[in-house]
Amino acid sequence: YSPGDIAIVQPENLQQNVDFFFSLFPNLDKNRKFRLECRDTSFPLPHNSVLPSPCTILEAVTSYFDIQSIPKRYFFELLAHFTTDELEKEKFLEFNTAEGQQELYEYCNRPRRNILEVLYDFRHTTPNIPFDYLFDLIPQIKSRSFSIASSQEKHGNNLQLLVAVVRYMSNLKSPRLGLCSNWLARRNQGDKIKVWTRSGTLKFPPNEETPCILVGPGTGVAPFRSFISSVVASSSNKRQIVLFFGSRNKSADFFFADEWSADSADSADNVKVITAFSRDQEDKIYVQHRIQENKELVCDLIFDKKGWFYVAGNSKFMPTQVRDALIECLTSRLCSREEAEKYVSTMEAKGRYQTETWS
């Protein structure tokens, strides 16, 4: 792989959820084997690495059924066919009417109630569901994509990821857990993980003399750590790099701080790290503020040295705010903000301004 490339991870369900699932289906033999047959080429079978053939029911529940996903309207439509409980059937049918959509939203989507919890709530119906129909009821676990945070020039065959473990509260009693991040966090050394690599969207300059400005708050720093590691590992590559890194707290969220401190053996004269820790002082400071504070440096690298500009991280507000901050910096050298906006648009068209963002 190269800096900017992606690792694709195929997670599995947490063991506690697998055990809970089988407690809801007491008549299911988890060791029973089955095969899936393809009768419609428009619906290909899952890859053998996800669902082998033959496969045990335990393997399917562990690695295929996304029991932590939020059920859709069709889920309840199907359940109505299997229930013998009149009260539960009435609720299923109500969820499938136009008038019942707000109640369905309040029950499932707002609190992020997952399929496993719904099956528990309607436990008079759940044991009646034939195993074959679980493939209609429950979607497949989707793979997750992560920017690779290591470089083969420095780390060899040790592929590293920077993953935020997702855990938050809704109005339900139990915390909401991100499937992949919590599954990864519970792996032990020696556990095998299904992972693939593919080319990413970020492409770095082929000319080693072209400077780069990297803006990577939070886990958005992952592809830039990969890039910086590859540059530092090359004794001939003296490319000037400025990294703007941001997080809430220096003490808790300064990822790879030990590599980028001035006294680190991994630090390099051609790499400058500028930080923004939003919660370490009364006034919140973000990466876009640091960019504006360093407008002379930014203008020198962009105008005078024809540098490239990169942004990676959460797609909500940050990318737009960073773009605006860059435009403000460039306006100080140009006649107007309109000219600066045109310049940034030209950078985007020529690949000198690249983004990789996610929700």
Side-chain angles (χ1 to χ4, degrees):
Y1 63 88
S2 301
D5 283 354
I6 303 296
I8 303 169
V9 177
Q10 182 65 45
E12 296 179 352
N13 285 308
L14 301 179
Q15 186 60 49
Q16 67 200 53
N17 289 339
V18 173
D19 294 340
F20 187 43
F21 178 90
F22 280 106
S23 74
L24 300 175
F25 291 88
N27 297 323
L28 267 187
D29 178 5
K30 63 176 68 176
N31 296 313
R32 174 186 152 203
K33 292 188 176 183
F34 68 93
R35 292 179 186 271
L36 287 186
E37 294 181 358
C38 184
R39 297 184 177 179
D40 187 342
T41 55
S42 61
F43 294 96
L45 293 177
H47 194 276
N48 201 57
S49 63
V50 177
L51 198 69
S53 183
C55 177
T56 66
I57 294 178
L58 175 60
E59 288 174 315
V61 174
T62 300
S63 62
Y64 181 81
F65 292 129
D66 191 354
I67 53 181
Q68 271 192 229
S69 62
I70 311 301
K72 304 288 194 296
R73 180 174 172 175
Y74 177 66
F75 181 90
F76 297 96
E77 182 182 339
L78 272 181
L79 287 185
H81 293 285
F82 303 124
T83 190
T84 56
D85 186 284
E86 288 303 316
L87 289 177
E88 291 190 357
K89 184 169 187 176
E90 182 180 341
K91 182 60 68 174
F92 298 147
L93 296 176
E94 183 182 346
F95 281 160
N96 275 278
T97 63
E99 297 77 14
Q101 291 314 290
Q102 183 59 35
E103 186 175 353
L104 177 58
Y105 175 81
E106 296 292 338
Y107 173 68
C108 277
N109 297 82
R110 183 185 292 278
R112 311 301 294 167
R113 194 186 308 271
N114 62 42
I115 284 176
L116 196 58
E117 292 166 324
V118 172
L119 291 174
Y120 175 75
D121 285 352
F122 295 98
R123 48 194 175 277
H124 293 104
T125 299
T126 296
N128 299 332
I129 303 171
F131 172 71
D132 293 5
Y133 279 90
L134 292 178
F135 289 90
D136 296 305
L137 275 172
I138 307 176
Q140 178 181 349
I141 295 176
K142 294 179 181 178
S143 59
R144 270 65 165 180
S145 297
F146 299 95
S147 295
I148 297 173
S150 52
S151 73
Q152 291 192 290
E153 291 84 354
K154 178 180 178 181
H155 303 100
N157 290 328
N158 185 349
L159 188 150
Q160 299 179 6
L161 303 178
L162 178 60
V163 181
V165 179
V166 178
R167 178 188 173 95
Y168 62 94
M169 297 302 299
S170 70
N171 60 7
L172 299 178
K173 182 178 179 181
S174 300
R176 306 295 89 188
L177 304 177
L179 171 59
C180 187
S181 62
N182 282 274
W183 179 77
L184 283 174
R186 301 184 191 194
R187 297 306 91 205
N188 297 310
Q189 187 170 353
D191 288 353
K192 291 185 177 181
I193 294 174
K194 298 164 187 171
V195 59
W196 300 262
T197 61
R198 65 170 174 81
S199 296
T201 57
L202 296 179
K203 304 299 179 185
F204 295 100
N207 186 338
E208 293 186 357
E209 295 183 358
T210 303
C212 292
I213 298 175
L214 316 173
V215 184
T219 55
V221 79
F224 303 143
R225 193 260 191 159
S226 173
F227 179 57
I228 291 172
S229 295
S230 69
V231 170
V232 172
S234 173
S235 58
S236 62
N237 193 334
K238 299 301 179 183
R239 184 197 308 275
Q240 186 176 359
I241 296 174
V242 175
L243 169 67
F244 289 94
F245 172 79
S247 66
R248 291 189 174 189
N249 307 106
K250 181 177 182 179
S251 60
D253 309 310
F254 191 1
F255 307 128
F256 311 116
D258 56 335
E259 297 181 14
W260 294 331
S261 61
D263 56 354
S264 169
D266 293 319
S267 65
D269 294 337
N270 56 317
V271 178
K272 181 180 180 67
V273 179
I274 299 173
T275 58
F277 301 108
S278 61
R279 305 297 172 86
D280 280 354
Q281 61 285 311
E282 186 174 346
D283 296 327
K284 292 180 180 179
I285 299 175
Y286 298 107
V287 286
Q288 59 266 28
H289 300 133
R290 296 302 192 202
I291 291 171
Q292 291 176 321
E293 290 172 6
N294 290 271
K295 65 181 179 181
E296 291 83 4
L297 173 61
V298 170
C299 286
D300 174 58
L301 295 179
I302 296 297
F303 286 131
D304 304 332
K305 298 178 180 177
K306 305 302 179 186
W308 292 24
F309 195 95
Y310 296 84
V311 184
N314 190 288
S315 62
K316 194 171 184 181
F317 301 118
M318 183 273 298
T320 300
Q321 293 168 339
V322 166
R323 192 177 191 276
D324 287 343
L326 175 61
I327 290 171
E328 286 296 321
C329 290
L330 302 188
T331 301
S332 65
R333 283 268 201 110
L334 298 172
C335 299
S336 65
R337 180 181 173 87
E338 184 180 0
E339 287 296 314
E341 288 177 344
K342 288 181 180 178
Y343 191 92
V344 172
S345 295
T346 301
M347 289 178 64
E348 289 174 322
K350 293 184 176 180
R352 287 181 60 203
Y353 187 109
Q354 299 179 38
T355 62
E356 181 180 271
T357 60
W358 53 87
S359 58

